[in-house]
Coordinates of all heavy atoms in Angstrom, one line a residue:
M1 N 218.1 184.1 135.1 CA 218.9 183.4 136.0 C 220.1 184.2 136.5 O 220.8 184.8 135.6 CB 219.4 182.1 135.4 CG 220.2 181.2 136.3 SD 220.0 179.5 135.9 CE 221.5 179.2 134.9
A2 N 220.3 184.3 137.8 CA 221.4 185.1 138.3 C 222.7 184.4 138.1 O 222.8 183.2 138.4 CB 221.2 185.4 139.8
K3 N 223.7 185.1 137.6 CA 225.0 184.6 137.4 C 226.1 185.7 137.6 O 225.9 186.8 137.1 CB 225.2 184.0 136.0 CG 226.5 183.3 135.8 CD 226.6 182.7 134.4 CE 228.0 182.1 134.2 NZ 228.1 181.6 132.8
C4 N 227.1 185.4 138.4 CA 228.2 186.3 138.7 C 229.0 186.5 137.4 O 229.5 185.5 136.8 CB 229.0 185.8 139.9 SG 230.4 186.9 140.2
A5 N 229.3 187.7 137.1 CA 230.1 188.0 135.9 C 231.5 187.6 136.1 O 232.2 187.3 135.1 CB 230.0 189.5 135.5
L6 N 232.0 187.7 137.3 CA 233.5 187.5 137.5 C 233.8 186.0 137.9 O 234.6 185.4 137.2 CB 234.0 188.4 138.6 CG 235.5 188.4 138.9 CD1 236.2 188.9 137.6 CD2 235.8 189.2 140.1
T7 N 233.1 185.5 138.8 CA 233.4 184.1 139.3 C 232.6 183.0 138.6 O 232.9 181.9 138.6 CB 233.1 184.0 140.8 OG1 231.7 184.2 141.1 CG2 234.0 184.9 141.6
G8 N 231.4 183.4 138.0 CA 230.6 182.4 137.3 C 229.7 181.7 138.2 O 229.1 180.7 137.7
K9 N 229.5 182.1 139.4 CA 228.6 181.4 140.3 C 227.2 181.5 139.8 O 226.8 182.6 139.3 CB 228.6 182.0 141.7 CG 229.9 181.6 142.5 CD 229.7 182.1 143.9 CE 230.9 181.6 144.7 NZ 230.7 181.8 146.1
K10 N 226.4 180.5 139.8 CA 225.0 180.5 139.3 C 224.2 179.6 140.2 O 224.7 179.0 141.2 CB 225.0 180.1 137.9 CG 225.5 178.7 137.6 CD 225.6 178.4 136.1 CE 226.2 177.1 135.9 NZ 226.3 176.7 134.5
V11 N 222.9 179.5 139.9 CA 222.0 178.7 140.6 C 222.4 177.2 140.6 O 222.7 176.7 139.5 CB 220.5 178.9 140.1 CG1 219.6 177.9 140.8 CG2 220.1 180.3 140.3
S12 N 222.4 176.5 141.7 CA 222.7 175.1 141.8 C 221.5 174.4 142.4 O 220.7 175.1 143.0 CB 224.0 174.8 142.5 OG 223.9 175.2 143.8
F13 N 221.4 173.1 142.2 CA 220.2 172.4 142.7 C 220.6 171.3 143.7 O 221.7 170.8 143.7 CB 219.5 171.7 141.5 CG 219.1 172.7 140.4 CD1 219.9 173.0 139.3 CD2 217.9 173.4 140.6 CE1 219.5 173.9 138.4 CE2 217.5 174.3 139.6 CZ 218.3 174.6 138.6
G14 N 219.7 171.1 144.6 CA 219.9 170.1 145.6 C 218.6 169.6 146.2 O 217.6 169.7 145.5
R15 N 218.6 169.0 147.4 CA 217.4 168.5 148.0 C 217.3 168.9 149.4 O 218.3 169.0 150.1 CB 217.4 167.0 147.9 CG 217.6 166.5 146.4 CD 217.5 165.0 146.3 NE 216.1 164.7 146.1 CZ 215.6 163.5 145.8 NH1 216.5 162.5 145.8 NH2 214.4 163.3 145.5
N16 N 216.0 169.1 149.8 CA 215.7 169.3 151.2 C 215.3 168.0 151.8 O 214.6 167.2 151.2 CB 214.5 170.2 151.4 CG 214.9 171.7 151.4 OD1 216.0 172.0 151.6 ND2 213.9 172.5 151.1
I17 N 215.9 167.6 153.0 CA 215.6 166.4 153.6 C 214.9 166.7 155.0 O 215.5 167.4 155.8 CB 216.8 165.5 153.9 CG1 217.5 165.2 152.5 CG2 216.5 164.2 154.6 CD1 218.8 164.5 152.6
R18 N 213.7 166.1 155.2 CA 213.0 166.4 156.5 C 213.5 165.3 157.4 O 213.2 164.1 157.2 CB 211.5 166.3 156.2 CG 210.8 166.9 157.4 CD 209.3 167.0 157.0 NE 208.6 166.2 158.0 CZ 207.5 165.6 157.8 NH1 206.9 165.6 156.6 NH2 206.9 164.9 158.7
H19 N 214.2 165.7 158.5 CA 214.8 164.7 159.4 C 213.9 164.2 160.5 O 214.2 163.3 161.2 CB 216.1 165.3 160.0 CG 217.1 165.6 159.0 ND1 217.9 164.6 158.5 CD2 217.6 166.7 158.4 CE1 218.8 165.0 157.6 NE2 218.6 166.4 157.5
K20 N 212.7 164.8 160.6 CA 211.8 164.4 161.6 C 211.3 163.0 161.4 O 211.2 162.2 162.3 CB 210.5 165.3 161.6 CG 209.5 165.0 162.6 CD 208.4 166.0 162.6 CE 207.3 165.6 163.6 NZ 206.2 166.5 163.6
A21 N 211.1 162.6 160.1 CA 210.6 161.2 159.8 C 211.7 160.3 159.4 O 211.4 159.3 158.6 CB 209.5 161.3 158.8
S22 N 212.9 160.5 159.8 CA 214.0 159.6 159.3 C 214.4 158.6 160.4 O 215.6 158.3 160.5 CB 215.2 160.5 158.9 OG 215.7 161.2 160.0
G23 N 213.5 158.1 161.1 CA 213.8 157.2 162.2 C 214.2 155.8 161.8 O 215.3 155.4 161.9
G24 N 213.2 155.0 161.3 CA 213.5 153.6 161.0 C 213.7 153.3 159.5 O 213.5 154.2 158.7
W25 N 214.0 152.1 159.2 CA 214.2 151.8 157.8 C 212.9 151.7 157.0 O 212.9 151.9 155.8 CB 214.9 150.4 157.7 CG 214.1 149.3 158.3 CD1 214.1 148.8 159.6 CD2 213.1 148.5 157.6 NE1 213.2 147.8 159.7 CE2 212.6 147.6 158.6 CE3 212.6 148.5 156.3 CZ2 211.6 146.7 158.2 CZ3 211.7 147.5 156.0 CH2 211.2 146.6 156.9
A26 N 211.8 151.5 157.7 CA 210.5 151.5 157.1 C 210.0 152.8 156.6 O 209.3 152.9 155.7 CB 209.4 150.8 158.0
R27 N 210.4 153.9 157.3 CA 209.9 155.2 157.0 C 211.1 156.0 156.4 O 212.1 156.3 157.1 CB 209.4 156.0 158.3 CG 208.3 155.4 158.9 CD 207.8 156.3 160.1 NE 208.9 156.9 160.8 CZ 209.2 156.4 162.0 NH1 208.6 155.4 162.6 NH2 210.2 157.1 162.7
R28 N 211.1 156.2 155.1 CA 212.1 157.0 154.5 C 211.8 158.5 154.6 O 210.7 158.9 154.5 CB 212.2 156.7 153.0 CG 212.7 155.2 152.8 CD 213.5 155.0 151.6 NE 214.5 156.0 151.3 CZ 215.0 156.2 150.1 NH1 214.6 155.5 149.1 NH2 215.8 157.1 149.9
A29 N 212.9 159.3 154.9 CA 212.7 160.7 155.0 C 212.3 161.3 153.7 O 212.9 161.0 152.6 CB 214.0 161.4 155.5
P30 N 211.2 162.2 153.7 CA 210.8 162.8 152.4 C 211.9 163.8 151.9 O 212.4 164.5 152.7 CB 209.5 163.5 152.7 CG 209.5 163.6 154.2 CD 210.4 162.5 154.8
K31 N 212.2 163.7 150.6 CA 213.2 164.6 150.0 C 212.4 165.4 148.9 O 211.8 164.9 148.1 CB 214.3 163.8 149.4 CG 215.1 163.0 150.4 CD 216.1 162.2 149.7 CE 216.9 161.3 150.7 NZ 216.7 159.9 150.6
T32 N 212.6 166.7 149.0 CA 212.1 167.6 148.0 C 213.2 168.4 147.3 O 214.2 168.7 147.9 CB 211.0 168.6 148.6 OG1 211.7 169.3 149.6 CG2 209.8 167.8 149.1
N33 N 213.0 168.7 146.0 CA 214.0 169.4 145.3 C 214.0 170.9 145.7 O 212.9 171.4 146.1 CB 213.7 169.3 143.8 CG 213.8 167.9 143.3 OD1 214.6 167.2 143.8 ND2 213.1 167.6 142.2
R34 N 215.1 171.5 145.6 CA 215.3 172.9 145.9 C 216.4 173.6 145.1 O 217.2 172.8 144.5 CB 215.5 173.1 147.4 CG 216.8 172.6 147.9 CD 217.3 173.2 149.2 NE 217.7 174.5 149.0 CZ 218.2 175.3 149.9 NH1 218.4 174.8 151.1 NH2 218.5 176.5 149.7
T35 N 216.5 174.9 145.2 CA 217.6 175.6 144.5 C 218.4 176.3 145.5 O 217.9 176.8 146.5 CB 217.0 176.6 143.5 OG1 216.2 177.5 144.2 CG2 216.2 175.9 142.4
F36 N 219.7 176.4 145.3 CA 220.6 177.2 146.1 C 221.0 178.4 145.2 O 221.6 178.2 144.2 CB 221.9 176.4 146.4 CG 221.7 175.3 147.3 CD1 221.5 174.0 146.8 CD2 221.7 175.5 148.7 CE1 221.3 172.9 147.7 CE2 221.5 174.4 149.5 CZ 221.3 173.1 149.0
R37 N 220.5 179.6 145.6 CA 220.7 180.8 144.8 C 222.0 181.5 145.3 O 222.2 181.6 146.5 CB 219.5 181.7 144.9 CG 218.3 181.0 144.2 CD 217.1 181.9 144.3 NE 216.8 181.9 145.8 CZ 215.6 182.3 146.3 NH1 214.6 182.7 145.5 NH2 215.4 182.3 147.5
P38 N 222.8 182.0 144.3 CA 224.0 182.7 144.7 C 223.6 184.1 145.2 O 222.6 184.7 144.8 CB 224.8 182.8 143.4 CG 223.8 182.7 142.4 CD 222.7 181.8 142.9
N39 N 224.5 184.7 146.0 CA 224.3 186.0 146.5 C 224.8 187.0 145.5 O 225.9 187.6 145.6 CB 225.0 186.2 147.9 CG 224.7 187.4 148.6 OD1 223.9 188.2 148.2 ND2 225.5 187.7 149.6
V40 N 224.0 187.2 144.4 CA 224.4 188.1 143.3 C 223.6 189.4 143.3 O 222.4 189.3 143.4 CB 224.2 187.3 142.0 CG1 224.5 188.2 140.8 CG2 225.1 186.1 141.9
H41 N 224.3 190.5 143.2 CA 223.6 191.8 143.1 C 224.3 192.6 142.0 O 225.4 192.4 141.6 CB 223.8 192.5 144.4 CG 223.2 191.8 145.6 ND1 221.8 191.9 145.8 CD2 223.7 191.0 146.5 CE1 221.5 191.2 146.9 NE2 222.7 190.6 147.3
R42 N 223.5 193.6 141.5 CA 224.0 194.5 140.5 C 224.8 195.6 141.1 O 224.3 196.3 142.0 CB 222.9 195.1 139.6 CG 223.3 195.9 138.5 CD 222.1 196.3 137.7 NE 221.5 195.1 137.1 CZ 221.6 194.8 135.8 NH1 222.3 195.6 135.0 NH2 221.1 193.7 135.4
H43 N 226.1 195.8 140.7 CA 226.9 196.9 141.2 C 227.6 197.7 140.1 O 227.9 197.1 139.1 CB 228.1 196.3 142.1 CG 227.6 195.8 143.4 ND1 227.4 196.5 144.5 CD2 227.2 194.5 143.8 CE1 227.0 195.8 145.5 NE2 226.8 194.6 145.1
T44 N 227.7 199.0 140.3 CA 228.4 199.8 139.4 C 229.8 200.1 140.0 O 229.9 200.6 141.1 CB 227.7 201.1 139.1 OG1 226.4 200.8 138.7 CG2 228.4 202.0 138.1
I45 N 230.8 199.7 139.3 CA 232.2 199.9 139.8 C 233.0 200.8 138.9 O 232.9 200.7 137.6 CB 232.9 198.5 139.8 CG1 232.2 197.6 140.8 CG2 234.4 198.7 140.2 CD1 232.7 196.2 140.8
Y46 N 233.6 201.8 139.5 CA 234.4 202.8 138.7 C 235.8 202.2 138.5 O 236.5 201.7 139.4 CB 234.5 204.1 139.5 CG 235.3 205.1 138.8 CD1 234.8 205.7 137.6 CD2 236.6 205.5 139.2 CE1 235.6 206.7 136.9 CE2 237.4 206.4 138.5 CZ 236.9 207.0 137.4 OH 237.6 207.9 136.7
V47 N 236.3 202.2 137.3 CA 237.6 201.7 136.9 C 238.5 202.9 136.6 O 238.3 203.6 135.5 CB 237.5 200.8 135.7 CG1 238.9 200.2 135.4 CG2 236.5 199.7 135.9
P48 N 239.4 203.3 137.5 CA 240.2 204.5 137.3 C 241.1 204.4 136.1 O 241.4 205.5 135.4 CB 241.0 204.7 138.6 CG 240.8 203.5 139.4 CD 239.7 202.7 138.8
E49 N 241.6 203.2 135.7 CA 242.5 203.1 134.6 C 241.8 203.5 133.3 O 242.4 203.9 132.3 CB 243.0 201.7 134.5 CG 243.9 201.3 135.6 CD 243.2 200.6 136.8 OE1 241.9 200.7 136.8 OE2 243.8 200.1 137.7
L50 N 240.5 203.2 133.2 CA 239.7 203.5 132.0 C 238.9 204.8 132.1 O 238.3 205.2 131.2 CB 238.7 202.3 131.7 CG 239.3 200.9 131.6 CD1 238.2 199.9 131.5 CD2 240.2 200.9 130.4
K51 N 238.9 205.3 133.3 CA 238.1 206.6 133.6 C 236.6 206.4 133.2 O 236.0 207.3 132.7 CB 238.7 207.7 132.9 CG 240.1 208.1 133.4 CD 240.7 209.3 132.7 CE 242.0 209.6 133.4 NZ 243.1 209.8 132.5
R52 N 236.1 205.3 133.6 CA 234.6 205.1 133.4 C 234.1 204.0 134.4 O 234.9 203.3 135.0 CB 234.3 204.7 132.0 CG 234.8 203.3 131.6 CD 234.5 203.0 130.1 NE 234.8 201.7 129.8 CZ 234.0 200.7 129.4 NH1 232.7 201.0 129.2 NH2 234.4 199.5 129.1
S53 N 232.8 203.9 134.4 CA 232.1 203.0 135.3 C 231.6 201.8 134.5 O 231.3 201.9 133.4 CB 231.0 203.6 136.1 OG 231.4 204.6 136.9
V54 N 231.6 200.6 135.2 CA 231.1 199.4 134.6 C 230.0 198.8 135.6 O 230.3 198.7 136.8 CB 232.2 198.4 134.4 CG1 231.7 197.1 133.8 CG2 233.3 199.0 133.6
T55 N 228.9 198.4 135.0 CA 227.8 197.8 135.8 C 227.9 196.3 135.6 O 227.8 195.8 134.5 CB 226.4 198.4 135.4 OG1 226.5 199.8 135.6 CG2 225.4 197.8 136.3
L56 N 228.0 195.6 136.7 CA 228.1 194.1 136.7 C 227.2 193.4 137.7 O 226.9 194.0 138.7 CB 229.6 193.7 137.0 CG 230.7 194.3 136.1 CD1 232.0 194.1 136.8 CD2 230.6 193.7 134.7
N57 N 226.8 192.2 137.4 CA 226.2 191.3 138.4 C 227.3 190.6 139.1 O 228.0 189.8 138.5 CB 225.2 190.3 137.7 CG 224.0 191.0 137.2 OD1 223.5 192.0 137.8 ND2 223.4 190.4 136.2
L58 N 227.5 190.9 140.4 CA 228.6 190.3 141.1 C 228.1 189.6 142.4 O 227.2 190.1 143.1 CB 229.6 191.4 141.5 CG 230.3 192.1 140.4 CD1 231.0 193.3 140.9 CD2 231.2 191.2 139.7
S59 N 228.8 188.5 142.7 CA 228.5 187.8 144.0 C 229.3 188.5 145.1 O 230.2 189.3 144.9 CB 229.0 186.3 143.9 OG 230.3 186.2 143.7
A60 N 229.0 188.1 146.3 CA 229.7 188.7 147.5 C 231.1 188.3 147.4 O 232.0 189.1 147.8 CB 229.0 188.2 148.8
K61 N 231.5 187.1 147.0 CA 232.9 186.7 146.9 C 233.6 187.5 145.9 O 234.8 187.9 146.1 CB 232.9 185.2 146.5 CG 234.2 184.6 146.2 CD 235.0 184.4 147.5 CE 236.3 183.7 147.3 NZ 237.0 183.5 148.5
A62 N 233.0 187.8 144.7 CA 233.6 188.6 143.7 C 233.9 190.1 144.2 O 234.9 190.7 143.9 CB 232.7 188.7 142.5
L63 N 232.9 190.6 145.0 CA 233.2 191.9 145.6 C 234.4 192.0 146.5 O 235.2 192.9 146.5 CB 231.9 192.4 146.4 CG 230.8 192.9 145.5 CD1 229.6 193.1 146.4 CD2 231.1 194.1 144.7
R64 N 234.6 190.9 147.3 CA 235.7 190.8 148.2 C 237.0 190.7 147.4 O 238.0 191.4 147.7 CB 235.6 189.6 149.1 CG 234.5 189.8 150.1 CD 234.4 188.6 151.0 NE 235.6 188.6 151.8 CZ 236.1 187.5 152.5 NH1 235.4 186.4 152.4 NH2 237.1 187.6 153.2
I65 N 237.0 190.0 146.2 CA 238.2 189.9 145.4 C 238.5 191.2 144.8 O 239.6 191.7 144.7 CB 237.9 188.8 144.3 CG1 237.8 187.4 144.9 CG2 239.0 188.9 143.2 CD1 237.3 186.4 143.9
I66 N 237.4 192.0 144.3 CA 237.6 193.3 143.7 C 238.2 194.3 144.7 O 239.0 195.1 144.4 CB 236.4 193.8 143.0 CG1 236.1 192.9 141.8 CG2 236.4 195.2 142.6 CD1 234.7 193.1 141.2
N67 N 237.6 194.2 145.9 CA 238.1 195.2 146.9 C 239.6 194.9 147.3 O 240.4 195.8 147.5 CB 237.3 195.0 148.2 CG 236.0 195.7 148.1 OD1 235.8 196.6 147.3 ND2 235.1 195.3 149.0
K68 N 240.0 193.7 147.2 CA 241.4 193.3 147.5 C 242.4 193.6 146.3 O 243.4 194.2 146.6 CB 241.5 191.8 147.8 CG 242.9 191.4 148.3 CD 242.8 189.9 148.7 CE 244.2 189.5 149.1 NZ 244.2 188.1 149.5
K69 N 242.0 193.3 145.1 CA 242.9 193.4 144.0 C 242.6 194.5 143.0 O 243.5 194.9 142.2 CB 242.9 192.0 143.2 CG 243.3 190.8 144.0 CD 243.2 189.6 143.2 CE 243.6 188.4 144.0 NZ 243.5 187.2 143.2
G70 N 241.4 194.9 142.9 CA 241.0 195.8 141.8 C 240.3 195.0 140.7 O 240.6 193.8 140.6
L71 N 239.5 195.7 139.9 CA 238.7 195.0 138.9 C 239.5 194.4 137.8 O 239.4 193.2 137.5 CB 237.6 195.9 138.3 CG 236.7 195.3 137.3 CD1 235.9 194.1 137.8 CD2 235.8 196.3 136.6
L72 N 240.5 195.1 137.3 CA 241.2 194.6 136.2 C 242.1 193.5 136.6 O 242.3 192.5 135.8 CB 242.1 195.8 135.5 CG 241.3 196.9 134.9 CD1 242.2 197.9 134.3 CD2 240.3 196.4 133.9
A73 N 242.7 193.5 137.7 CA 243.6 192.4 138.2 C 242.7 191.2 138.5 O 243.2 190.1 138.2 CB 244.3 192.9 139.5
A74 N 241.5 191.4 139.0 CA 240.6 190.3 139.3 C 240.2 189.6 138.0 O 240.1 188.4 138.0 CB 239.4 190.8 140.1
I75 N 239.9 190.4 137.0 CA 239.6 189.8 135.7 C 240.7 189.0 135.1 O 240.5 187.8 134.7 CB 239.2 190.9 134.7 CG1 237.9 191.6 135.1 CG2 239.0 190.3 133.3 CD1 237.5 192.8 134.4
R76 N 241.9 189.5 135.2 CA 243.1 188.8 134.7 C 243.4 187.5 135.5 O 243.7 186.4 135.0 CB 244.4 189.6 134.8 CG 244.4 190.7 133.7 CD 245.8 191.4 133.7 NE 245.6 192.7 133.3 CZ 245.6 193.8 134.0 NH1 245.8 193.7 135.3 NH2 245.4 195.0 133.6
D77 N 243.2 187.5 136.9 CA 243.4 186.4 137.7 C 242.4 185.2 137.4 O 242.7 184.1 137.7 CB 243.3 186.7 139.2 CG 244.6 187.5 139.6 OD1 245.5 187.6 138.8 OD2 244.6 188.0 140.8
Q78 N 241.2 185.6 137.0 CA 240.2 184.6 136.6 C 240.5 184.0 135.2 O 239.8 183.1 134.8 CB 238.8 185.2 136.6 CG 238.3 185.6 138.0 CD 238.1 184.4 138.9 OE1 237.7 183.3 138.4 NE2 238.3 184.6 140.2
G79 N 241.5 184.5 134.5 CA 241.9 183.9 133.2 C 241.0 184.5 132.1 O 240.9 183.8 131.1
L80 N 240.4 185.6 132.3 CA 239.6 186.3 131.3 C 240.3 187.4 130.6 O 241.2 188.0 131.2 CB 238.3 186.8 132.0 CG 237.5 185.8 132.8 CD1 236.4 186.6 133.5 CD2 236.8 184.8 131.8
S81 N 240.0 187.7 129.4 CA 240.5 188.8 128.6 C 239.8 190.1 129.1 O 238.6 190.2 129.1 CB 240.3 188.6 127.1 OG 240.6 189.8 126.5
V82 N 240.6 191.1 129.5 CA 240.1 192.3 130.0 C 239.2 193.0 128.9 O 238.1 193.4 129.2 CB 241.2 193.3 130.5 CG1 240.6 194.6 130.9 CG2 241.9 192.6 131.6
N83 N 239.7 193.1 127.7 CA 239.0 193.8 126.6 C 237.7 193.1 126.3 O 236.7 193.7 126.2 CB 239.9 193.9 125.4 CG 241.0 194.9 125.6 OD1 240.9 195.8 126.4 ND2 242.1 194.7 124.9
A84 N 237.7 191.8 126.2 CA 236.5 191.0 125.9 C 235.5 191.1 127.0 O 234.3 191.3 126.8 CB 236.9 189.6 125.6
F85 N 236.0 191.1 128.2 CA 235.1 191.1 129.4 C 234.4 192.5 129.5 O 233.2 192.6 129.6 CB 235.9 190.9 130.7 CG 235.1 190.9 131.9 CD1 234.5 189.8 132.4 CD2 235.0 192.1 132.7 CE1 233.7 189.8 133.5 CE2 234.2 192.1 133.8 CZ 233.6 190.9 134.3
L86 N 235.1 193.6 129.3 CA 234.5 194.9 129.4 C 233.6 195.2 128.2 O 232.6 195.8 128.3 CB 235.6 196.0 129.5 CG 236.4 195.9 130.8 CD1 237.6 197.0 130.7 CD2 235.6 196.2 132.0
K87 N 234.0 194.7 127.0 CA 233.1 194.8 125.8 C 231.8 194.1 126.0 O 230.7 194.6 125.6 CB 233.8 194.3 124.6 CG 233.1 194.7 123.3 CD 233.9 194.3 122.1 CE 235.1 195.2 121.9 NZ 235.8 195.0 120.7
E88 N 231.8 192.9 126.6 CA 230.6 192.1 126.9 C 229.7 192.8 127.9 O 228.5 192.7 127.8 CB 231.1 190.7 127.4 CG 229.9 189.8 127.7 CD 230.4 188.5 128.2 OE1 231.5 188.0 127.9 OE2 229.7 187.9 129.1
H89 N 230.3 193.5 128.8 CA 229.5 194.1 129.9 C 229.3 195.6 129.7 O 229.1 196.4 130.6 CB 230.1 193.8 131.3 CG 230.0 192.4 131.6 ND1 231.1 191.5 131.3 CD2 229.1 191.6 132.1 CE1 230.7 190.3 131.7 NE2 229.5 190.3 132.2
E90 N 229.4 196.1 128.5 CA 229.2 197.5 128.1 C 227.7 197.8 128.1 O 226.9 196.9 127.7 CB 229.8 197.7 126.8 CG 230.5 199.0 126.6 CD 231.3 199.1 125.3 OE1 230.7 198.6 124.3 OE2 232.4 199.5 125.3
R91 N 227.4 199.0 128.4 CA 226.0 199.4 128.3 C 225.6 199.7 126.9 O 226.3 200.3 126.1 CB 225.7 200.6 129.1 CG 225.5 200.3 130.6 CD 224.9 201.4 131.3 NE 225.5 201.5 132.6 CZ 225.3 202.5 133.4 NH1 224.6 203.5 133.1 NH2 225.8 202.5 134.6

C-alpha cells in the first residue's frame, strides 16, 4: 500500500455514483466502491547537512513542501523527530 513518508497520505476509499440512472425516486443510482490512490512516487533526495542521500516514498504535496523548506525543516514542521525519521528510512 502506497503511503507518503512525510505527510502520511495513503489510500482512501469512496464510491462511484452513476448519474445517468438517478432520475426518479423509483430508480436509485448504482453505487460501486472505489479507491482514491495518492500521487506517491519513490524519490532520492540529497541532504547537504548530512552529506548523504535518502530514498523516500513522497506525495506531490510533500515534494512541494521539501522544495520550499528543505527536507529537515519539513520533517520538523510535521512534528516528527529527524533522527528517528532518517533511521526508519535508512537503506
Side-chain angles (χ1 to χ4, degrees):
M1 180 151 98
K3 183 177 177 184
C4 177
L6 188 64
T7 61
K9 285 189 178 193
K10 58 185 178 181
V11 175
S12 61
F13 301 95
R15 302 187 92 173
N16 274 340
I17 300 175
R18 198 171 118 213
H19 293 286
K20 182 179 178 182
S22 62
W25 62 270
R27 298 186 321 256
R28 293 213 41 203
K31 298 178 182 115
T32 56
N33 295 330
R34 65 160 292 185
T35 59
F36 292 95
R37 292 177 295 198
N39 188 7
V40 174
H41 299 279
R42 183 175 296 255
H43 287 276
T44 302
I45 297 176
Y46 181 72
V47 184
E49 294 90 351
L50 303 175
K51 296 185 175 131
R52 69 182 186 119
S53 296
V54 181
T55 301
L56 302 167
N57 287 330
L58 295 171
S59 64
K61 177 73 173 180
L63 283 173
R64 292 182 66 201
I65 293 170
I66 291 170
N67 281 339
K68 183 176 181 181
K69 300 179 181 180
L71 180 61
L72 297 181
I75 293 170
R76 283 189 213 103
D77 286 352
Q78 291 294 328
L80 303 170
S81 168
V82 175
N83 291 333
F85 182 85
L86 294 175
K87 192 176 285 187
E88 180 182 327
H89 294 92
E90 218 171 43
R91 281 192 216 172

